[in-house]
Amino acid sequence: MKNCAPEKIRNFVLAGHAGAGKTALADLILFKGGAVSRQGSVDNGTSVSDYRKEEQARKSSIYPGVLHTAWKDGHFFFMDTPGTTDFVGRALPSIEIADLMVLVIDAAAGIGPGTITALKHAKIRNMPRIVFINGCDRDSADYDTLLDLLQQSMGKTKCLPVSLPDGIRGSFKGVLSALDEKAAPDAHSPLMDTIAEGDEELMMKYMEEGALTPEEIKIGFRKAVLSGSLYPVYAGSVAKDIGVQELMDAILDFAPAPTDDVPLNLASGTIDRKSSDVVAYVFQSVIDPHMGQLSFLRVLSGTLTANSELVNAQKQAKERLGTIQLAQGKDLATVDAAGPGEIVVVAKLKNTGLTDILGSKQVEAVFTPIEYPQPTTIFAVSAAAKGEEDKLAQGLAKQAAEDPTIQIRLDTETKQTVLSCMGDQQLKLIVNRLKNDSKVEAVLETPRIPYRETINGVGQASYRHKKQNGGHGQFAEVHMRLEPYTPAEGETDYQFANEVVGGNVPKNFIPAIEKGVGEVRLSGPLSHSKVINFKAVVFDGKYHPVDSSEMAFKIATRHAFRDAMAQAKPMLLEPIMSLRIYFPTEYQGAISGDLNTRRGRVLGMDPEEGFQVLNAEVPLAEAYSYPTALRSMTQGRGFFEMKFDRYEQVPKMVADKIQAAAAAEADNDEE
Ligand SMILES: Nc1nc2c(ncn2[C@@H]2O[C@H](COP(=O)(O)OP(=O)(O)OP(=O)(O)O)[C@@H](O)[C@H]2O)c(=O)[nH]1
Ligand SMILES: [Mg+2]
């Protein structure tokens, strides 16, 4: 249990790409700190952090591991996040709330998608960072190239080596401190400059005397880390236990304390870290098969006590806490209270979900919503067994509440439940959890494409609907013109106009005609898709004083519309997605070639963090299979973002196929 002043507490998050060694580092930190007597291992399935069966099977994290250990006269509370981009939705809330990011990068693999995401989110709130270049023992470790890329990304005067590798790869035998002029002369003076620059008094003294005392260095170093003018780089190897003690000392000596003013991503208001009012942030909310709902809270200020009543600011609701517990991976230990920087678990909160804020009073500060990437893996999902649709919906909703990158949407147009997520690894986990936790078997299919139809020319038709043989008769005649029309921003995707003069169609029937257009345009002649970007003009017609009715005018409208549509050069439109594809340069040829086969269009390149970034457009029909293709093309080192851009005409060859398929389906429906 923690036994130190709040100033000696350190709250941090281990972030970075999959396989960088975050979990291995977490296990080593726990062991060196004395929190565990045997060092856990990812490879042997004994990691304290990756304790879940799915994580042990993958040998890779899925959920943030929540851990703590004493270190010297301080105490660390930290989260070990998953680096696989599929699970970024679970990693980001931890990154959002920690006081420090320890960015772990493998010296051999270098910057990966997970590194880019972590850095992007650290930059959003100017989050204090320490970089740990791990795996310096690895055969293909390349420290210099990596440092260079990091300096390009974070700044040459900010991203500075403090603990340098002594030897590399097979000959990696230790680390050298840049604080020691003799040990690392080249790295010493840039580091000292940055340390001194953060504080005017130190700067004066450094300029006059050319040196600072260890105590002064510590003050300057801490200040520089907190303000984001220094991102110190530590080198090491978790496997060889080299450089980790130096890293842990740096965290204790130089990282912000919970009482410091660490920048938060607030949209409005402030949070006073030194206040005695309780403010706590929910960075993880999971349903444990045994314990039910568990909320993981990071205390920002005040002291959280067991059995207290708090206010949930977002939900405007009271929340009563029961026992509060400290997590060490899966082990939970009951505590009476938790102060700033600490992380605790509370069970079964009634009104509180992910990223909610709890306070002893209503908390007025509001966080900027986390920018989760748009999901790119999209499937239509249904229950294998009839009658289990509700069970499926509930199971999916539970998982979506835990991870905002899991999105469920009922597509009223295609009548499919659409499940979107970040990749096939996440998809597999979702399906497994549906099976194991929710006891429902899910079936996945490629979703239907929401095609659109429009017209290329003007078409005109009239139709008389007449049934006057006995009984109550029906009569209506509609003359209609369809014109291409591009709606302005915010306008509906079609227009209706009435140009009837002289009362050939009485005013009271015009709304029926307008309604008729609204209905018939939902199923166009080519593919039964919605017709858009047109103007329907009723310009003439006939009526019968007794036999005309709204129904009769609607029927006549349907026919007139379809006939006019046939004259108006109808064409098929498909959704075009804009893609931003990130990948290491060596895959450029493969990626461009593949885009060609997908009817894709390359718009341009702009490199980011040493990665190539290609902007492209691809029809949605060709984008569904892209996540898997990109993963196999790049050995998991590529990722992409995708969003809807516009509708565009389908090329004739493709359109013919779609029309044939739609016609066949219509025949089937009739049978
Ligand atoms: N050679 C070598 N291997 C290491 C080192 N650190 C970690 N590893 C190995 O690298 C693999 C991945 O380590 P993890 O700790 O699971 O990586 P991670 O960053 O947690 O990955 P995710 O959980 O997928 O984000 C494991 O097999 C580790 O044993 C190191 O310094 N040197
Ligand atoms: Mg891990």
Side-chain angles (χ1 to χ4, degrees):
M1 220 104 313
K2 157 215 82 143
N3 190 11
C4 68
E7 294 73 36
K8 287 283 178 180
I9 286 179
R10 297 292 176 263
N11 176 296
F12 59 91
V13 60
L14 303 178
H17 190 53
K22 299 178 292 297
T23 303
L25 174 62
D27 280 313
L28 184 54
I29 290 176
L30 293 183
F31 180 66
K32 292 176 95 71
V36 295
S37 53
R38 290 186 58 178
Q39 189 183 338
S41 149
V42 184
D43 305 298
N44 301 337
T46 57
S47 167
V48 179
S49 180
D50 283 4
Y51 64 84
R52 290 175 171 92
K53 268 207 229 64
E54 307 98 301
E55 295 178 314
Q56 287 168 349
R58 299 176 73 239
K59 292 199 189 337
S60 170
S61 312
I62 296 171
Y63 302 82
V66 177
L67 310 158
H68 72 101
T69 183
W71 180 242
K72 298 189 171 165
D73 61 346
H75 206 101
F76 294 167
F77 291 88
F78 62 108
M79 303 95 148
D80 163 33
T81 60
T84 311
T85 38
D86 286 43
F87 305 115
V88 62
R90 296 189 184 272
L92 289 183
S94 302
I95 292 175
E96 183 72 4
I97 203 61
D99 288 339
L100 171 84
M101 174 182 287
V102 176
L103 184 63
V104 184
I105 312 179
D106 183 87
I111 290 176
T115 327
I116 294 179
T117 325
L119 263 178
K120 186 168 165 179
H121 285 269
K123 283 177 179 175
I124 289 176
R125 72 168 167 108
N126 194 21
M127 182 179 192
R129 276 157 255 175
I130 292 181
V131 180
F132 183 65
I133 298 186
N134 186 34
C136 289
D137 62 300
R138 289 203 197 254
D139 283 344
S140 46
D142 184 353
Y143 176 87
D144 295 333
T145 307
L146 180 55
L147 182 67
D148 207 43
L149 282 173
L150 289 169
Q151 290 189 327
Q152 280 173 36
S153 162
M154 287 190 270
K156 243 184 146 52
T157 58
K158 293 183 172 187
C159 186
L160 295 172
V162 178
S163 178
L164 293 89
D166 184 7
I168 192 80
R169 301 186 275 273
S171 66
F172 179 57
K173 54 181 181 292
V175 288
L176 304 166
S177 173
L179 290 171
D180 177 352
E181 191 172 3
K182 284 190 209 80
D186 292 347
H188 180 72
S189 65
L191 177 64
M192 291 308 293
D193 287 349
T194 299
I195 289 172
E197 261 162 27
D199 185 298
E200 218 165 300
E201 240 173 80
L202 288 186
M203 191 67 208
M204 295 285 281
K205 177 159 185 239
Y206 184 60
M207 295 218 302
E208 275 164 24
E209 297 175 21
L212 297 172
T213 67
E215 202 41 46
E216 286 165 340
I217 289 176
K218 195 166 158 181
I219 291 168
F221 202 129
R222 283 200 70 203
K223 254 190 153 170
V225 170
L226 177 62
S227 71
S229 53
L230 176 60
Y231 307 121
V233 181
Y234 286 74
S237 159
V238 171
K240 297 244 174 310
D241 189 1
I242 299 177
V244 176
Q245 165 144 4
E246 287 77 358
L247 173 71
M248 291 170 76
D249 284 344
I251 294 171
L252 187 60
D253 290 344
F254 308 133
T259 41
D260 284 326
D261 270 326
V262 179
L264 290 169
N265 194 13
L266 295 178
S268 67
T270 49
I271 291 173
D272 177 4
R273 302 288 194 109
K274 296 184 182 72
S275 164
S276 57
D277 292 338
V278 175
V279 178
Y281 180 99
V282 181
F283 67 90
Q284 177 163 224
S285 170
V286 286
I287 296 174
D288 183 278
H290 308 295
M291 283 170 288
Q293 176 77 41
L294 295 180
S295 307
F296 289 73
L297 275 69
R298 186 251 143 108
V299 181
L300 280 159
S301 72
T303 300
L304 192 72
T305 50
N307 305 311
S308 55
E309 191 174 81
L310 298 177
V311 184
N312 180 321
Q314 279 87 341
K315 309 278 163 66
Q316 308 275 328
K318 292 216 165 89
E319 192 70 82
R320 179 159 277 289
L321 306 190
T323 45
I324 58 180
Q325 295 174 293
L326 263 184
Q328 188 71 288
K330 72 171 185 304
D331 295 329
L332 302 178
T334 303
V335 289
D336 299 329
E342 295 187 47
I343 297 172
V344 289
V345 185
V346 295
K348 300 199 170 65
L349 292 182
K350 287 203 173 62
N351 305 308
T352 301
L354 186 65
T355 68
D356 281 355
I357 302 163
L358 296 171
S360 46
K361 295 187 202 147
Q362 169 82 21
V363 177
E364 300 298 343
V366 177
F367 279 77
T368 309
I370 297 174
E371 259 185 61
Y372 296 97
Q374 284 295 317
T376 46
T377 297
I378 308 170
F379 278 91
V381 58
S382 56
K386 272 225 161 68
E388 299 214 318
E389 301 297 341
D390 283 353
K391 230 159 116 183
L392 178 78
Q394 283 163 17
L396 286 171
K398 272 188 196 166
Q399 295 194 49
E402 288 186 10
D403 179 345
T405 60
I406 303 175
Q407 293 175 7
I408 320 291
R409 180 173 62 86
L410 182 69
D411 190 322
T412 48
E413 210 175 313
T414 60
K415 313 254 183 323
Q416 291 180 314
T417 299
V418 179
L419 162 64
S420 317
C421 65
M422 296 303 300
D424 42 9
Q425 300 180 66
Q426 191 186 26
L427 189 68
K428 196 169 140 198
L429 180 73
I430 295 170
V431 171
N432 282 344
R433 283 188 66 189
L434 283 171
K435 195 162 141 189
N436 300 332
D437 303 349
S438 308
K439 313 286 175 220
V440 53
E441 195 87 38
V443 179
L444 300 172
E445 292 167 275
T446 304
R448 296 199 182 142
I449 314 267
Y451 290 108
R452 295 281 183 266
E453 297 178 22
T454 192
I455 51 176
N456 232 342
V458 178
Q460 191 166 308
S462 60
Y463 190 87
R464 176 180 292 181
H465 175 64
K466 184 175 157 188
K467 269 194 185 144
Q468 287 174 311
N469 41 1
H472 193 53
Q474 297 178 34
F475 183 90
E477 187 175 306
V478 171
H479 298 218
M480 179 166 286
R481 187 173 72 241
L482 297 178
E483 304 165 2
Y485 178 81
T486 311
E489 274 289 306
E491 246 179 358
T492 50
D493 50 13
Y494 75 101
Q495 296 281 306
F496 175 80
N498 171 23
E499 289 177 5
V500 178
V501 285
N504 287 353
V505 179
K507 280 224 157 52
N508 56 322
F509 289 124
I510 300 295
I513 297 174
E514 181 166 5
K515 248 196 202 148
V517 171
E519 285 168 14
V520 67
R521 71 120 188 175
L522 294 178
S523 178
L526 305 179
S527 63
H528 313 298
S529 314
K530 209 191 264 185
V531 185
I532 60 166
N533 297 359
F534 67 92
K535 187 169 170 183
V537 182
V538 51
F539 61 90
D540 204 358
K542 282 203 178 71
Y543 83 109
H544 183 277
V546 179
D547 290 346
S548 278
S549 64
E550 288 188 9
M551 187 47 82
F553 268 101
K554 262 195 185 174
I555 292 169
T557 302
R558 283 172 178 274
H559 287 278
F561 180 92
R562 289 201 178 120
D563 293 348
M565 187 82 192
Q567 307 297 318
K569 302 202 189 97
M571 66 178 184
L572 203 56
L573 303 176
E574 64 180 339
I576 303 291
M577 312 303 286
S578 79
L579 268 55
R580 217 172 133 70
I581 311 162
Y582 297 70
F583 53 91
T585 313
E586 66 253 42
Y587 301 112
Q588 184 162 344
I591 284 174
S592 308
D594 172 80
L595 282 172
N596 276 335
T597 69
R598 293 175 189 274
R599 299 192 278 128
R601 197 162 17 198
V602 174
L603 301 180
M605 308 276 294
D606 62 292
E608 209 179 275
E609 323 288 5
F611 257 50
Q612 284 300 354
V613 184
L614 196 147
N615 294 313
E617 289 176 351
V618 171
L620 178 60
E622 304 290 339
Y624 283 140
S625 59
Y626 199 60
T628 320
L630 182 65
R631 209 161 90 92
S632 68
M633 272 186 293
T634 62
Q635 274 82 49
R637 300 184 54 74
F639 71 110
F640 73 112
E641 293 160 359
M642 175 167 92
K643 61 174 196 280
F644 169 75
D645 189 69
R646 64 178 186 282
Y647 273 95
E648 200 178 271
Q649 183 169 8
V650 181
K652 174 130 189 9
M653 292 256 287
V654 183
D656 288 348
K657 276 192 205 143
I658 298 165
Q659 273 172 252
E665 198 174 312
D667 285 349
N668 273 340
D669 286 353
E670 273 162 30
E671 271 162 24

